[in-house]
Amino acid sequence: MSESVLRIDDLSIVYRTARGLVRATSHVSFSLAKGETIALIGESGSGKTTLSLALIRMLPAAAQITSGAIHYTRNGQTRNVLSLSPGDMRAFRWKECAMVFQGAQNAFNPVLRIRQQFADTAAAHGIKDPEVVKARTLELLRLVRLDPQRVYDAYPHEMSGGMKQRALLALGVLLDPQVVILDEPTTALDILTQRAIIDVLNEMQKRLNFSIIFISHDLALAAEMADRVATMYAGEIVELAPVAEMFYRPHHPYTLGLLRSVPKLDQRRDDLVSIPGDPPNLIDPPSGCKFHPRCQFATDHCHQEAPPLVEYTPGHFAACWHTDKVAAARSGFIDLKEVKKDDRS
Amino acid sequence: MEGAILGLEGVYRTFKKGRTLIPVLQDIDLNVMPQECICLVGESGCGKTTTGKILSGLLKPSRGRVFFEGKDTTSLRGAAYNAYRRAVQIIHQDPYASLNPAHTIYSTLSFPLFRHKLVKHYNEARERVAALLEMVDLTPVADVIDKYPHQLSGGQRQRVGIARALTTNPRVIVADEAVSMVDVSIRIGLLNMMGRLQAELGAALVFITHDLALAKYFAWEGRIAVMYLGRIVEIGRTQEVIANPQHPYTRVLLSAIPEADPERTRHKQHIQLRSEDIPRLTELPPGCAFHPRCPWFVPGMCDSEVPTLERGADMDTRVACHPLTRGEPLTLYPA
């Protein structure tokens, strides 16, 4: 794997609330290589959004980072994002690490033309030459398959949701960041619009070679776009693996549970099972492995001791005491031969 | 259709926005057979929710008729009208907005029981509500029955929503995106429970969703109706529609959906649309509303007359597409 641009070490974040400390993210570590796409999957409340907000230090005031470091590397220089000064942090956001938020409908200022919003962003980061900004803006709008002339002078309300989402992607990479964080990039979009966004993102990444961290509860999107996938549960990464490993050889019962609960579009009848129980309470999380109350493989050991994240095959990490049982259970569910046979390439 | 429990015939519905009329539904014919499961799928703004509301009597059509057990519902009065409203119940999308926060679960579920005189007194209502909560697996009942909605999780609330739809022993349940707001891991549990209850109660189920894979899972033995910009463009047996989509829109949709399988989804052939812009409902293109985007557009044919839903040559499904219903092969329009 090529050089890493972002390395997260043992990151823990809590929220102080009236009812107690919410452990939103606990001891999360992973690194992101140049040009790589990592998907963070998990249910609401699993800590995906908290983690991504921490990367650009946009956490709400009630949040506190209790441990860890975020190392960012560009041109051989590595800095800890958590110790940047406020001024450096402002420069870091967008120029080094850009975030495209959920709900593109509201991300643009409704009373400014698109060109103004691109120009303002560039100016805030010291790029004031109008010709340079215009050329870059038009190039990016073309890259996201919008009609550059029309959109450049448009107000946000003149554009559809899908157009706005694409314009937002273009704005996200305006300053040539190395890392782009996408929070649920396609939820609330129609299927055909979603397809256009996926295609545009793939194309942009090929051309501009940025890295992507995207957050989604949609496993299909992860299957389509990610190089590696991290499953989060109750604020922890419980499994991290290359995409094919994750989907065909999951080691963690929660990942297996998610895969088993997603209907597929092929021409057979699905046999789906849901994960029993509800997501855990993060103020008073279960002892040991936090997944044990919902896990069909749980034993006393799981109640007592939290399993460490262990590397089983190169690059495939999982935190579970009973990966052997998971392997036995998945063999009945995921059939690799069928995958090959149905391959419609 | 003979034997349908609920039917729409030539239903139009418009909404007024300022001075413009928005045609949300146009010429919908739909029959719900007893005990069947039928899915309405389509993207946002295609009219699937409006169709569900018209079926359940929450909205009146602007034109066209709604039949319940063969009788026009506008002709129903008094007890007969109440019987219709009782027989068709709806489960709403948002489990947070659809339960009154000031009412306990008991009062939410007992209200329809008293309203429709299905129980006579408090004790009977308590018993019936407890039985309903057990049906939707909200047990132990004593932990839930006197709680307020804010004390329950999203999944639990949606179970209350399902229980409420069951209070009146409905014969048709309209589930409007009933699981789209709950987490993936508990979604299938809710769906399986709805399927089980539907079978136990012998009710028909109209399942409204934007998720074709979910529709396929849920209505495997039933039917799917695909909607686009206010019209049904394809309707047929689920297995047939998924394996053998006919209408260009259905084909494009199925080809565009990412799947939770890296190999398969990355090798999928995506059909390219001619245009990515969705026309506004207020500026619908002439003829087939899909023609400006359709890869198989035939000039002169598709842009002049609105296609009607017909059985095509050698097909079980019905489609609204000029070339298909005339038995002509689809040919790609030159880019």
Side-chain angles (χ1 to χ4, degrees):
Chain A
M1 190 146 298
S2 61
E3 51 166 330
S4 86
V5 288
L6 201 62
R7 209 177 76 240
I8 295 154
D9 267 337
D10 193 42
L11 189 66
S12 299
I13 300 158
V14 298
Y15 287 101
R16 297 182 183 286
T17 70
R19 288 182 295 145
L21 281 187
V22 178
R23 294 177 181 79
T25 301
S26 310
H27 308 292
V28 166
S29 302
F30 68 90
S31 66
L32 179 70
K34 184 143 187 68
E36 185 189 30
T37 301
I38 282 191
L40 301 179
I41 58 173
E43 299 173 82
S44 44
S46 62
K48 308 178 302 260
T49 299
T50 299
L51 176 61
S52 60
L53 287 174
L55 299 181
I56 49 167
R57 282 176 49 194
M58 293 283 273
L59 287 165
Q64 193 190 345
I65 296 174
T66 52
S67 78
I70 301 167
H71 300 288
Y72 175 81
T73 308
R74 185 161 206 162
N75 302 332
Q77 265 193 320
T78 301
R79 295 181 290 173
N80 183 356
V81 175
L82 298 182
S83 50
L84 291 179
S85 69
D88 286 346
M89 197 60 221
R90 256 199 311 281
F92 175 82
R93 291 186 196 119
W94 223 315
K95 198 165 185 322
E96 309 293 342
C97 188
M99 182 146 181
V100 179
F101 289 96
Q102 201 172 349
Q105 318 297 336
N106 314 316
F108 282 109
N109 184 335
V111 297
L112 293 181
R113 292 182 197 273
I114 295 299
R115 66 168 141 84
Q116 192 61 47
Q117 310 201 31
F118 276 76
D120 287 351
T121 305
H125 287 267
I127 307 168
K128 302 237 161 76
D129 182 345
E131 288 309 309
V132 172
V133 176
K134 181 173 180 183
R136 174 88 178 149
T137 303
L138 291 177
E139 182 204 332
L140 288 173
L141 290 176
R142 208 169 296 121
L143 190 57
V144 296
R145 297 197 211 151
L146 288 169
D147 175 356
Q149 293 308 329
R150 185 182 149 202
V151 171
Y152 189 65
D153 283 317
Y155 285 101
H157 74 264
E158 296 173 74
M159 297 155 67
S160 70
M163 288 167 77
K164 275 189 265 189
Q165 182 78 39
R166 275 180 279 163
L168 202 60
L169 288 175
L171 184 57
V173 298
L174 178 68
L175 303 168
D176 195 21
Q178 278 202 107
V179 179
V180 177
I181 304 169
L182 304 165
D183 191 356
E184 301 279 5
T186 63
T187 35
L189 290 179
D190 288 325
I191 299 158
L192 300 181
T193 315
Q194 176 182 332
R195 168 54 51 201
I197 299 279
I198 295 172
D199 293 349
V200 157
L201 263 174
N202 284 336
E203 226 171 274
M204 283 169 82
Q205 195 182 21
K206 221 177 276 166
R207 271 277 282 287
L208 307 172
N209 198 32
F210 50 81
S211 310
I212 296 178
I213 295 178
F214 82 85
I215 301 164
S216 182
H217 63 267
D218 185 351
L219 291 178
L221 200 62
E224 170 112 16
M225 292 184 53
D227 299 313
R228 284 194 295 155
V229 182
T231 311
M232 291 194 72
Y233 187 77
E236 295 169 355
I237 290 185
V238 294
E239 184 160 10
L240 174 66
V243 66
E245 277 282 312
M246 193 68 123
F247 278 85
Y248 302 135
R249 279 174 291 278
H251 282 37
H252 196 280
Y254 180 61
T255 313
L256 180 65
L258 285 179
L259 288 172
R260 273 178 159 168
S261 61
V262 177
K264 300 206 175 78
L265 260 181
D266 56 25
Q267 292 152 22
R268 283 165 305 171
R269 183 178 201 135
D270 292 300
D271 191 11
L272 303 181
V273 200
S274 71
I275 304 174
D278 284 312
N281 175 348
L282 292 177
I283 293 177
D284 183 19
S287 64
C289 171
K290 288 175 185 165
F291 187 59
H292 86 253
R294 303 175 74 187
C295 181
Q296 54 173 321
F297 309 110
T299 58
D300 281 347
H301 194 190
C302 309
H303 289 240
Q304 283 146 14
E305 201 182 339
L309 199 62
V310 173
E311 187 166 14
Y312 283 90
T313 51
H316 192 152
F317 299 83
C320 177
W321 295 120
H322 301 298
T323 50
D324 49 334
K325 290 190 201 164
V326 180
R330 79 170 178 247
S331 64
F333 168 67
I334 302 168
D335 190 337
L336 284 172
K337 271 177 294 185
E338 261 172 33
V339 170
K340 289 272 157 5
K341 190 183 70 198
D342 284 2
D343 201 346
R344 289 174 243 162
S345 52
Chain B
M1 204 193 289
E2 265 317 285
I5 179 161
L6 200 57
L8 302 180
E9 200 183 274
V11 163
Y12 288 74
R13 173 73 207 201
T14 50
F15 288 109
K16 224 182 202 151
K17 189 182 175 193
R19 251 175 278 168
T20 49
L21 277 181
I22 303 171
V24 172
L25 283 186
Q26 295 194 65
D27 201 15
I28 299 286
D29 288 320
L30 183 70
N31 284 296
V32 182
M33 307 306 284
Q35 305 187 19
E36 83 161 332
C37 180
I38 180 165
C39 283
L40 303 181
V41 300
E43 305 181 86
S44 48
C46 73
K48 48 191 196 303
T49 293
T50 307
T51 308
K53 286 188 172 164
I54 288 177
L55 280 171
S56 47
L58 296 176
L59 277 177
K60 301 278 171 258
S62 309
R63 224 170 89 196
R65 292 185 296 174
V66 183
F67 290 95
F68 174 64
E69 292 184 319
K71 290 190 218 72
D72 189 334
T73 54
T74 51
S75 71
L76 299 175
R77 296 284 177 272
Y81 182 73
N82 282 343
Y84 155 59
R85 290 300 300 271
R86 208 165 51 227
V88 186
Q89 290 296 322
I90 192 164
I91 302 168
H92 294 282
Q93 171 172 17
D94 186 345
Y96 292 85
S98 61
L99 295 178
N100 188 328
H103 286 258
T104 62
I105 303 310
Y106 164 75
S107 76
T108 295
L109 293 180
S110 62
F111 186 74
L113 295 172
F114 286 114
R115 170 72 179 77
H116 287 289
K117 301 196 177 66
L118 296 167
V119 293
K120 291 195 181 67
H121 48 72
Y122 175 81
N123 285 347
E124 203 184 339
R126 282 297 281 199
E127 251 170 56
R128 181 85 183 103
V129 169
L132 285 165
L133 290 176
E134 257 166 45
M135 283 168 88
V136 296
D137 300 332
L138 280 172
T139 50
V141 169
D143 285 359
V144 180
I145 191 164
D146 291 314
K147 280 195 172 154
Y148 288 91
H150 75 265
Q151 295 168 295
L152 303 181
S153 71
Q156 288 175 317
R157 286 181 207 216
Q158 199 53 302
R159 283 169 195 270
V160 174
I162 295 169
R164 180 174 59 184
L166 301 177
T167 48
T168 60
N169 300 314
R171 301 189 50 206
V172 181
I173 301 167
V174 178
D176 184 5
E177 298 272 15
V179 296
S180 66
M181 291 190 61
V182 297
D183 270 316
V184 199
S185 72
I186 47 180
R187 187 177 286 178
I188 294 303
L190 278 175
L191 278 185
N192 290 347
M193 187 187 76
M194 277 166 56
R196 195 194 74 219
L197 289 170
Q198 183 212 355
E200 277 173 24
L201 302 170
L205 209 136
V206 181
F207 188 77
I208 299 172
T209 181
H210 65 278
D211 185 338
L212 265 160
L214 211 60
K216 174 216 148 191
Y217 173 66
F218 196 66
W220 183 249
E221 303 290 345
R223 293 190 295 154
I224 282 186
V226 182
M227 298 185 68
Y228 183 70
L229 292 177
R231 289 177 192 269
I232 293 175
V233 296
E234 177 161 1
I235 182 166
R237 286 180 50 241
T238 302
Q239 300 173 37
E240 193 60 29
V241 172
I242 296 293
N244 234 334
Q246 294 298 324
H247 194 280
Y249 177 64
T250 319
R251 296 185 194 205
V252 173
L253 266 188
L254 281 168
S255 88
I257 297 172
E259 296 193 56
D261 181 325
E263 285 293 324
R264 196 193 302 271
T265 198
R266 287 169 200 220
H267 290 112
K268 226 169 153 171
Q269 294 292 324
H270 306 304
I271 304 171
Q272 289 296 324
L273 288 171
R274 291 196 300 125
S275 152
E276 269 155 19
D277 293 332
I278 306 167
R280 288 165 203 258
L281 282 167
T282 45
E283 296 157 15
L284 283 178
C288 170
F290 191 57
H291 89 254
R293 307 173 76 192
C294 182
W296 299 281
F297 166 58
V298 182
M301 185 194 284
C302 300
D303 51 1
S304 57
E305 220 175 296
V306 177
T308 51
L309 204 54
E310 283 169 49
R311 206 173 295 276
D314 315 318
M315 279 182 225
D316 260 349
T317 49
R318 284 184 298 150
V319 286
C321 172
H322 287 303
L324 284 178
T325 50
R326 291 176 198 194
E328 292 172 21
L330 293 178
T331 43
L332 284 175
Y333 183 76

